[in-house]
């Protein structure tokens, strides 16, 4: 089958579910990521019988509602390809903005070889992207899920190289493990923050396919990760070091308050490109 024909087939089948624009974008991603066919190669490439079977399986899973990134096991983030599986969240566009903020901050403060800790690695998208843009970063990461940690390590190894990172299997809610960490210039986290009672606001695909551990917290204490990570940051940040959080719009002001009450200065809340409150920073005095 001609690749051009395959492209049309994907678009025709996916359009009823996602609309023409999205279907076209997915066709490009599928052909590029699963078959290494770039738009320029569509006219002079063909798919063999095995590839057609593979394509049909991909389309079938997408029509069943599975996010295309899980089907293809890859997600684009900040221009990099991250391996993903249902053990990790699919990296979000909002998180790219957090990464951009941290990078701008490092530059503004003229930091040299900053030590950075990413808490709750998931795919590793935050820490790995930071280091891939600023190779002098000394990168550390914590992840409690062994399955997620394996994915983060594979991404780090592929995108940064061996010995370029220190990732530990660790639950940040266990303070007995904190003393083994060094001091940091920057701590960054996009922790779980959705209380179970907000399940109704979470889209079908997200809660059917993405890891609950990465998304949800108990109703009684939705800020538990922010509180514990702030406490850890208070202990482990150097003077002048900074704590960056991603949060959702419902908790943004509470997170800002919490960071300020912990003692951090120059706290700031920023919106994402959708003009939604999304990220918080605080500086350790
Ligand atoms: N740090 C990862 C991300 O931003 C995972 C976050 C999480 O699992 N809560 O995508």
């Amino acid at each position: 089958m001609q690749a051009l024909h395959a492209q049309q087939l994907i678009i025709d089948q996916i359009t009823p579910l996602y609309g023409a624009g999205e279907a076209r974008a997915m066709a490009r991603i599928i052909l590029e990521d699963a078959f290494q066919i770039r738009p320029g190669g569509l006219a002079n490439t063909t798919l063999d019988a095995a590839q057609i079977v593979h394509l049909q399986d991909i389309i079938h899973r997408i029509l069943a509602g599975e996010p295309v990134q899980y089907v293809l096991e890859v997600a684009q983030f900040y221009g990099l390809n991250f391996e993903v599986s249902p053990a990790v969240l699919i990296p979000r566009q909002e998180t790219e903005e957090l990464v951009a903020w941290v990078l701008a901050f490092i530059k503004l403060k003229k930091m040299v070889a900053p030590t950075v800790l990413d808490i709750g690695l998931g795919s590793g998208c935050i820490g790995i992207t930071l280091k891939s843009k600023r190779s002098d970063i000394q990168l550390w990461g914590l992840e409690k899920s062994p399955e997620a940690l394996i994915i983060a390590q594979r991404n780090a190894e592929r995108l940064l190289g061996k010995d370029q990172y220190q990732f530990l299997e660790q639950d940040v809610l266990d303070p007995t493990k904190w003393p083994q960490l060094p001091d940091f210039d920057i701590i960054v986290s996009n922790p779980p923050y959705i209380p179970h009672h907000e399940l109704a606001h979470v889209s079908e695909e997200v809660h059917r396919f993405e890891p609950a551990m990465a998304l949800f917290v108990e109703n009684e204490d939705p800020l538990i990760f922010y509180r514990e990570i702030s406490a850890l940051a208070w202990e482990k940040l150097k003077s002048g070091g900074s704590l960056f959080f991603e949060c959702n719009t419902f908790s943004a002001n509470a997170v800002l308050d919490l960071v300020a009450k912990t003692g951090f200065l120059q706290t700031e809340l920023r919106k994402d490109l959708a003009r939604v409150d999304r990220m918080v920073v605080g500086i350790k005095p």
Side-chain angles (χ1 to χ4, degrees):
M1 183 191 292
Q2 274 232 319
L4 261 179
H5 184 183
Q7 180 195 36
Q8 198 52 50
L9 187 93
I10 300 168
I11 292 170
D12 290 346
Q13 295 201 53
I14 295 181
T15 295
L17 192 67
Y18 285 104
E22 186 81 347
R24 189 162 278 284
M26 281 194 197
R28 189 177 48 75
I29 295 170
I30 293 168
L31 290 167
E32 203 160 316
D33 289 344
F35 303 101
Q36 288 72 52
I37 302 172
R38 291 179 179 277
L42 282 170
N44 50 23
T45 315
T46 55
L47 274 67
D48 65 25
Q51 288 176 316
I52 294 169
V53 171
H54 186 195
L55 177 61
Q56 277 162 346
D57 177 56
I58 290 170
I59 295 174
H60 184 83
R61 287 171 64 183
I62 290 171
L63 293 180
E66 197 172 340
V68 64
Q69 294 90 340
Y70 285 151
V71 176
L72 302 175
E73 296 174 2
V74 53
Q76 293 256 348
F77 183 84
Y78 221 100
L80 300 170
N81 279 332
F82 281 83
E83 176 187 342
V84 293
S85 84
V88 305
L89 279 193
I90 296 168
R92 305 290 202 271
Q93 215 178 343
E94 302 88 88
T95 308
E96 292 183 335
E97 297 178 46
L98 175 70
V99 167
W101 193 13
V102 177
L103 286 170
F105 189 88
I106 292 174
K107 201 165 163 191
L108 184 77
K109 301 283 173 186
K110 299 190 168 59
M111 293 181 170
V112 178
T115 45
V116 176
L117 173 65
D118 178 357
I119 299 178
L121 285 162
S123 62
C125 62
I126 297 176
I128 294 170
T129 305
L130 287 171
K131 183 161 172 78
S132 92
K133 304 292 165 194
R134 274 291 302 243
S135 58
D136 61 336
I137 284 176
Q138 298 174 50
L139 177 63
W140 288 66
L142 305 183
E143 174 55 57
K144 72 173 164 184
S145 149
E147 295 81 18
L149 184 62
I150 289 170
I151 303 268
Q153 281 167 332
R154 277 212 291 263
N155 281 322
E157 195 134 337
R158 201 183 66 259
L159 293 165
L160 303 175
K162 251 191 181 5
D163 308 325
Q164 295 297 306
Y165 58 94
Q166 297 260 19
F167 290 172
L168 307 173
E169 186 181 326
Q170 212 178 99
D171 182 354
V172 70
L173 300 185
D174 176 3
T176 64
K177 300 275 174 52
W178 298 355
Q180 71 194 50
L181 297 168
D183 288 346
F184 293 99
D185 293 296
I186 291 177
I187 294 180
V188 58
S189 185
N190 175 23
Y193 51 63
I194 309 173
H196 286 283
H197 64 71
E198 279 178 23
L199 189 70
H201 302 292
V202 176
S203 82
E204 162 87 13
E205 294 93 80
V206 167
H207 104 249
R208 243 176 79 206
F209 294 99
E210 301 210 62
M213 188 200 274
L215 294 165
F216 295 108
V217 287
E218 297 305 324
N219 291 340
E220 305 76 58
D221 193 3
L223 297 184
I224 183 163
F225 285 97
Y226 294 99
R227 186 168 309 108
E228 292 303 309
I229 292 168
S230 295
L232 180 151
W234 189 254
E235 268 186 37
K236 287 292 170 186
L237 277 176
K238 300 174 191 170
S239 173
S242 50
L243 169 62
F244 285 87
F245 277 131
E246 183 168 332
C247 53
N248 76 355
T249 181
F250 307 114
S251 60
N253 280 296
V255 171
L256 186 69
D257 251 29
L258 193 156
V259 170
K261 285 210 178 92
T262 309
F264 290 92
L265 302 177
Q266 299 171 54
T267 53
E268 184 185 341
L269 172 59
R270 281 206 183 174
K271 294 180 190 299
D272 63 21
L273 289 174
R275 310 294 305 148
V276 168
D277 288 336
R278 180 66 65 192
M279 330 166 232
V280 165
V281 74
I283 314 282
K284 170 112 177 264

